[in-house]
Amino acid sequence: MVRIIWQNRILSLILFIVLIIFFSCQSDKKLLNNPSSQKPETEFVNNLMERMTLEEKIGQLNLYTAGGDVTGPTMNGNYIAKVKAGRVGAVFNALSVSFNKELQRMAVEETRLGIPLLFGYDVIHGYRTIFPIPLAESCSWNLELMEKTAALAAEEAASAGINWTFSPMLDISRDPRWGRVAEGSGEDPFLCSMIARTRVKGYQGEDPESPQTILACVKHFAAYGAPVAGRDYATVDMSERMFRDVYLPPYQAAIEAGASTVMTAFNEFDGVPATANSYLLDSILRKEWGFDGFVVTDFNSIKELNNHGFSENDEMAAILSLNAGVDMDMQSDIYAANLMNLVKSNRIEEKKIDEAVRRILIMKYRLGLFRDPYLYLDEEREKATIYSNKILNHALASALESIVLLRNENYGGGKILPLSKGIKNLAIIGPMGKNKLDMLGCWHAAGDERKVTNLFEGIQEQVSQLNILYSLGCDFEGEDISGFSHAVKTAQQADVVILAMGENDAQNGEAASRSQIGFPGVQSRLIAEIRKTGKPTVLLVMAGRPIILNDEEQQIPAIINTWHLGTQGGRAIAQVLFGDYNPSGKLTMTIPRNEGQIPVFYSQKNTGRPYNPKDRFTTKYLDIPNEPLFPFGFGLSYTQFDYSSLQLSDSIISPQEELVVKVMVRNSGKISGEEVVQLYVRDLVGSVTRPIKELKGFRKILLEPGEIRWVSFTLKSDDLRFYNREMKFVAEPGAFMVYAGTNSAECLSAKFNLIP
Ligand code: NOJ
């Protein structure tokens, strides 16, 4: 009898469990079928937040550094105690699987709710394998290549336990005094926007849960690239029109491409520091663009509101930032120290904290960290990925395409470049000749200089029979000229001299503005001494920004802008010097004649008094031409491209129609080469004045010797939009010029009309 009762009880229990499973499956299905129901991520995060105390919520809003990135991360900071107490949302500069695993273990196993950490890092142009600085790579105009660079940088960083990069930097800049131009993609909003999308796609891939992809962080929001007088961190002040036409588009493109996070800028904008600027963070970013990720500050920016004179104290700084839309506090500790009291004293709404926490937890959910906090932490993967051949090979491909040939004159019967492999004695002179560290450029993450192939080694590898002489000559800074005489003697013994000049990795990048942007130190004096030897000379400009060349330097028959090319830099330069690779890079920043031309960019306005050499009262300088030394889009090849027959499909289009622009390009030289064909437009009359040229399209094509190709572009009326007098983004009917050519200054032109 007792047995039967027990059997019945067990049967009812089983029936009960089956029913529960059945109904829960039904409700899951309902969740999937009913679009209005919550997404699993929202449901998960809401459930989690219900269990969180206010203190735990505030904990998620803090990002701390694990120490300097040169000496490596440290477990000694007091951030460790905070991790163990569940008071940290994310850590940056924590590198390697073993290190991050230990931090993650503390967060997951030693805290009440076990919420995993995010691991951030400045993977700006690579993690360990260093690619060319972003400005250099933008000169490739090769979006596929840039997407792959971002994807491989993500893969390498992710293998070491990183799941969030503070990149891409999308600050347009037209001022090469500003050191951070190295991290961006130059001066043009159209090109920068394309690159913005590309890099976000590269970092984030299709699947956020893949342990090979990482979160992107768009920075620095906004207009950080336009500091007064080019001085880093200085005030930004510009018209709303300029902001929307030029500075905003790349950030917007990145958000449209799905960028997960945004970093606020150090600067103020229209009198309000970006970190407390609700117009930027709320009205534009969240409301206009529908951004649903989270916003992090730049380093200590909340605290700096006090220095800006925008807040009186830390409490006020916390209130202003949170209310403006800042979710995560990088390193200032102000949220951690103040938010609790501010809620208790009703000076901020707890709802605001909830919104910020929710955005951060959702990103952790999307990364798959709640499913597996150790997803990114696999030692085997780390070993197999770092410095793998796949990544190194791509770093070489990227370095090759980043190089811009600026000048290549006839010298003794032919062009000086490419050099003949029959040369017997080659002298490499200058501080970049055997340098490894500075080849990596600014923000070189965890790049190891020992893995760099420098210029000397690159040439040695490329041309086996060559006698390579070397002299340092001078350093990047200081007044020491004691190395000059050795350098001159070395040059005298050579058939050809390579001058390896430029900037070191600290002479550009953050906090590295320069008022004079020629070669720093005594390098120009050394160049002048070497020139006196009369030897055929090639000048390599190896720097993080456009460098101004003095009159004598401009006369050197061959000049190559190599930028800072990263781990594979020496190999790439050697291939270009000896013609194993035909250079194809084109400038994405104008190179001025002197600092007086700054801000300098191709898309200027015509003015009421456009320059006329016969009329004194027209816009000009008395001492130099208006034209820069090298315009936007400029770059030579070892072959020659001829442009002809610019044709338009019609001379009139309506807003619904497309205009097809065709131009014929011929490789009239003797070797194959790549050319970036560029398309520009000018709106001749507008309700507000328009630039004399704006980039609207480009194609990079490979042509064999003698090959002819029609290159076509399609223009729609949408491509002609701008912010009109009423700040509406529209295309205005009227006459337009269209230009196609090899750079922004040398183009064929035609005219068309847009009718209403
Ligand atoms: C300050 C820089 O402005 C920013 O770009 C960088 O991501 C952070 N420091 C973190 O290193």
Side-chain angles (χ1 to χ4, degrees), residues 92-93 122 166 180 183 219-220 224 263 266 298-299 330 443 510:
F92 69 122
N93 297 331
D122 286 284
F166 303 138
R180 302 198 79 170
E183 296 172 60
K219 70 186 189 185
H220 305 83
Y224 180 44
M263 185 185 292
F266 282 127
D298 203 341
F299 203 103
M330 185 195 288
W443 284 113
E510 188 178 349

Side-chain angles (χ1 to χ4, degrees), residues 73-104:
T74 162
M75 286 280 181
N76 298 328
N78 72 353
Y79 77 100
I80 294 292
K82 291 179 178 159
V83 170
K84 289 185 179 168
R87 302 287 176 269
V88 179
V91 171
F92 69 122
N93 297 331
L95 313 175
S96 83
V97 167
S98 58
F99 189 88
N100 293 10
K101 214 178 215 173
E102 179 52 15
L103 286 177
Q104 195 69 309

Side-chain angles (χ1 to χ4, degrees), residues 447-466:
D448 181 349
E449 62 176 296
R450 289 166 306 181
K451 293 279 181 184
V452 172
T453 303
N454 65 24
L455 178 66
F456 188 94
E457 293 163 341
I459 294 180
Q460 212 169 31
E461 224 180 73
Q462 195 70 16
V463 196
S464 49
Q465 299 304 322
L466 194 62

